[in-house]
Amino acid sequence: MPEIRVTPLGAGQDVGRSCILVSIAGKNVMLDCGMHMGFNDDRRFPDFSYITRNGRLTDFLDCVIISHFHLDHCGALPYFSEMVGYDGPIYMTHPTQAICPILLEDYRKIAVDKKGEANFFTSQMIKDCMKKVVAVHLHQTVQVDDELEIKAYYAGHVLGAAMFQIKVGSESVVYTGDYNMTPDRHLGAAWIDKCRPNLLITESTYATTIRDSKRCRERDFLKKVHEAVERGGKVLIPVFALGRAQELCILLETFWERMNLKAPIYFSTGLTEKANHYYKLFITWTNQKIRKTFVQRNMFEFKHIKAFDRAFADNPGPMVVFATPGMLHAGQSLQIFRKWAGNEKNMVIMPGYCVQGTVGHKILSGQRKLEMEGRQVLEVKMQVEYMSFSAHADAKGIMQLVGQAEPESVLLVHGEAKKMEFLKQKIEQEFRVNCYMPANGETVTLPTSPSIPVGISLGLLKREMAQGLLPDAKKPRLLHGTLIMKDSNFRLVSSEQALKELGLAEHQLRFTCRVHLHDPRKEQETAMRVYSHLKSVLKDHCVQHLPDGSVTVESILIQAAAHSEDPGTKVLLVSWTYQDEELGSYLTSLLKKGLPQASS
Amino acid sequence: MDDAINILQNEKSHQVLAQLLDTLLAIGTKLPENQAIQIRLVDVACKHLTDTSHGVRNKCLQLLGNLGSLEKSVTKDGEGLAVRDVQKIIGDYFSDQDPRVRTAAIKAMLQLHERGLKLHQAIYNQACKLLSDDYEQVRSAAVQLIWVVSQLYPESIVPIPSSNEEIRLVDDAFGKICHMVSDGSWVVRVQAAKLLGSMEQVSSHFLEQTLDKKLMSDLRRKRTAHERAKELYSSGEFSSGRKWGDDAPKEEIDTGAVNLIESGACGAFVHGLEDEMYEVRIAAVEALCMLAQSSPSFAEKCLDFLVDMFNDEIEEVRLQSIHTMRKISNNITLREDQLDTVLAVLEDSSRDIREALHELLCCTNVSTKEGIHLALVELLKNLTKYPTDRDSIWKCLKFLGSRHPTLVLPLVPELLSTHPFFDTAEPDMDDPAYIAVLVLIFNAAKTCPTMPALFSDHTFRHYAYLRDSLSHLVPALRLPGRKLVSSAVSPSIAPHEDPSHQFLQQSLERVYSLQHLDPQGTQELLEFTIRDLQRLGELQSELAGVADFSATYLRCQLLLIKALQEKLWNVAAPLYLKQSDLASAAAKQIMEETYKMEFMYSGVENKQVVIIHHMRLQAKALQLIVTARTTRGVDPLFGMCEKFLQEVDFFQRCFIADLPHLQDSFVDKLLDLMPRLMTSKPVEVVKILQTMLRQSTFLHLPLPEQIHKASATIIEPAGESDNPLRFTSGLVVALDVDATLEHVQDPQSTVKVQVLYPDGQAQMIHPKPADFRNPGPGRHRLITQVYLSHTAWTDVPLPSPNPGDGAWCWGSFFLAVLQQLLTRRLSPGRQDAAVSEALSPIDQVPDSASLAVSS
């Protein structure tokens, strides 16, 4: 029985180190290869030894697909390809290919240079790893080998994020990666056609959330910033370098443009400048507005947003500063925060989630006195605002995507078990499809019934078409032909052609059957009665009474003879070729029931 | 047709077959009455429906849709040509294997509907199945079909699958179309969003669901930002929203009860308004507008969403939502927090947006005095930031004041900064912001008699000044101690429309009935009537169009009579004198006036056009006679006569239908004598014409229902500007032109801007169609840039025809003066009339060049 097997090595009932193994029709594909933020030991990378204990991974995997450049989807890639060893193709989209190495390098620097880890991948490894990458375009069907093909769909979420369809023959799996169903200021919404895959593997980060309109959030955000700037205050927005930062930049930039505001906006990190460059390049991956207006002006060429210099923080007058990192736990954002915290005119806006223990989390939960290193106490007088900008699909969005793709079954990854449970129940209820949510290392096996394509000869098809009306999708039709199986390909041809091809002589096969009828009359009369009976029953068939006393129905011959022993019984000889088996057997059963009374 | 059908039977190629069917379709549509042919063609189409090619099936369905017979009763003919049930045949192809054929089938069905065939309700279920088709064009067409059926059978009851409840069909259809708003293809989404707007019969319960989206966070119910804002507002504790966890989830949700994919209308507009493509968003806003207009309660609910759309990233969407809001503003009152968001848009750098918003504020209801204050403050901020918005802001404040007198009243002392004990400094009278405040207050004071008591002395003085200088913005007030002013103006405050209209009618009647009076009396009567009409037009703005129009016509008549009164005619022989200035000038002027009547009024109907042309014909006859009298020799006369007769012929051909109305008129008689005129010599023609002109009666000009004089006011560049526009010779300078056009039909093709340089050179400029905006019915706004350029000149230029109009500079600098093409002075009292606009019917009037000369 053919089947699809799915085993998550990471992201099974969990968020982080996405890595999912899929076996489909004998092909093995690895989807994403991420790291886990929560761990600093071996657990941060997926356990590749699951695939093979010894021997190179290349022999076991046909390809690796990376959905987007976030580290929890690509962070383990150099480790996997260079340190564990994999030489096969790695597929990702062009923007991902461009931005991924920047983030990997950054990640490496923090791990090695700051935390001093040994046995970590090197810059050279990142470079070597990126050499194995094959870039794909949206909606481009890439033939990995003769049978396996993959195709990318737009996923929103971040620049270059894609959903992948993996297809072997008629079996297919769609992996969504992370996606967003509501468009934002710089990216569009995820979209997929009705590809009806056997399995849809979808993320489920916000499985139990339905979000408010993004417009309200944006308006709130802009209003808060505007008010603070009008008061003459300084606004600090701690962000992570890529993704949300660009969205907020565009939001503020257009707002500044619209409202003709003059207060400066600064962006603090070098990494982002590099990334911004790619955002400018990959215009086709952005949303409608940016795509339409870039001829006049590329939206990422910010007019009002300038690079930040440390000295600017002490400048008088209002300003808005984007600084990394996003949770105020270290770095530039924390420095600026300390400088500005004392003034109640200033404001800090946290655009995302903050992990417990960070300064960000403390101030959001209302703490006003912070203990800094060196026993200093920082009094926070500035306003603290929280604003949730997130680029994952909410429960409604997930349902919408499932509805769009119409899969035969759904598998949830990249989310918390409890929330998945709810969504699973909902999906099963609404779409009446199976839904799975395996934990890491747990294998889901899906039996499939792949359709087998059979070639039919044109002559045969036309002949059959000529016999009946148009084929009706709802009714099965009987078709006579010969199925030839040769070199794992199937052909349906007419029997004459098959005989010719195989060099065989045709044998006639006839069935004959005797039916005993109790009828005292003469043979002739019996034949006559049979004839009139059949004539009245088989209206759409050609029933003939031949001069020699026999009756034919199409090519079936019926002869009546007196029984040698009992003259009161007549024997009907029914004979038909095997082609007419259907009609023949019907006739015999009809005749066996006996003839109606002559009087009737 | 027979040929085509014959070929059709033997043809094998699918393409040729399709083309042949196309031909048959064309033939069939040309012969709509011939039943037999139609039935035959339908038969042919049915035969080919089983063709294997989608192209042929497509065409067959198209043919069926266009020609399929509408009545079933035709079967009674008994010819054996049983008229097939076209709907059933087409319906069978809803499940064709080819998506193109499915689309064609639905389209054919829609075509049948358009031709007046009542579709069966059974189609509804078929169409619903097609909504989940794989192909977008099929879904798009199916949405349309569902809409059609829902409009046909709104009240019939359909069962809800998987439960035994039943709902109205229109509600069910509404739910289904709402569902399509989150379709995968944006074409379908646009289609669905558009159609939602026209489903007004839907019950309010379903309608309100479209704005509902249950929020949850970790399975706990969350309130939307809108609900929070409303709650904050009603609890009186306003403008918080700064606490973290303000939006913390409240109650737990029963997991079973949450329905993530609503089959119904839930949240359709929430999705539509957040869509990725702006086309969908615009369609959704339009639909919101239409639904809100028909349901006040829905209008109240959708307000929050519309206000949110004011912050859309695409300007068109913002503009559209502002316009929408204006249209539904009768049904709504803005809350303070909503007003806040609305007013924030005033800082938008796009002029269109700001002006649309001013228009919106004109007709908005504000609930509190703080709201009014807020609006005023924001408008003043807008004024300082964009001084060009001055007029628009003043107008906006005028309406704001007159709509909310009671809310303005408590604000007056603060706004005028008066103090109970101390006199405060008198504000600067020329400050636009101060004028803005005064406009607000004076308009509020109109219906609030207690307000003037709060004014200080200088306010009264300023009132008098503004009442004169900005009379369109400042209404007449009943001020204590100024009875004279108020009583003189009071009639216009409460216009008695009936009497003045009656007066107009009566004076016109008088003229028409007394046409056989002696010449002297007629002349006087005409003169008086013209004067009366002109005065009436000035007093009653709504009658101005009619009054002006009639007055112009009477003036033409007067001129004609005067010209015919001249002594010149009494002399029997032609004098060849040069002194018939009056008559020829009259002829010229009549021509000019008739052109004005024809082209410068909107709402002129055919009835009037005939009369106008008739008058012009008379003028031409006059011209001919005058020429005959004053020029020697016959040669030039030949040409003129011929031309004149051609014109008469033209007139006859153009207005053949209206000739019966012109009994006893000049042209009536003329046409009687036409055969004779054609053969006679010019001198005789002139003689006949002369007698006929004198005998002809005065035609009654029927008043059109709605007539408005087209007019244009140039707001920018202002005429009296002290600093001339300087530019280097040979280079180009752009001049912003901003003008309001009233009652101009199709301004995109008719309005041009003429630039007249001081040396007399004129240049015509075609503004782009996109430069015209349509802020209201009958009103257009032209905001464009004209490019001026001129080579250097060293000579003294010819003196400008109107030296007061402008000054010019020497050398390479010029002042450019835009001057009107037709001699229309827009407002004779104003100095800036030099800069005006050419409302030019150039394309239609062959001799407009001669008109232009007289400027």
Side-chain angles (χ1 to χ4, degrees), chain A residues 185 188 191 194 196 208-213 215 219 258-260 288 364 385-386 419 426 430, chain B residues 132-134 184 213 215-216 218-219 225 244 258-259 273-274 278-279 308 312 347-349 385:
Chain A
R185 288 278 165 165
W191 181 86
K194 254 184 212 176
R196 300 198 174 90
T208 55
T209 302
I210 298 178
R211 263 178 315 186
D212 200 353
S213 135
R215 251 171 250 286
R219 194 191 56 204
R258 254 181 71 194
M259 298 304 180
N260 250 335
Q288 190 193 20
L364 277 182
E385 300 286 352
Y386 171 74
K419 298 181 179 178
K426 284 291 151 197
E430 305 267 1
Chain B
S132 49
D133 199 277
D134 283 7
K213 189 179 172 189
L215 300 188
M216 57 178 196
D218 293 347
L219 286 180
W244 190 44
V258 183
N259 195 4
L273 294 176
E274 270 185 38
Y278 80 90
E279 291 91 343
D308 276 349
D312 195 273
E347 293 189 41
D348 202 294
S349 57
K385 204 162 170 185

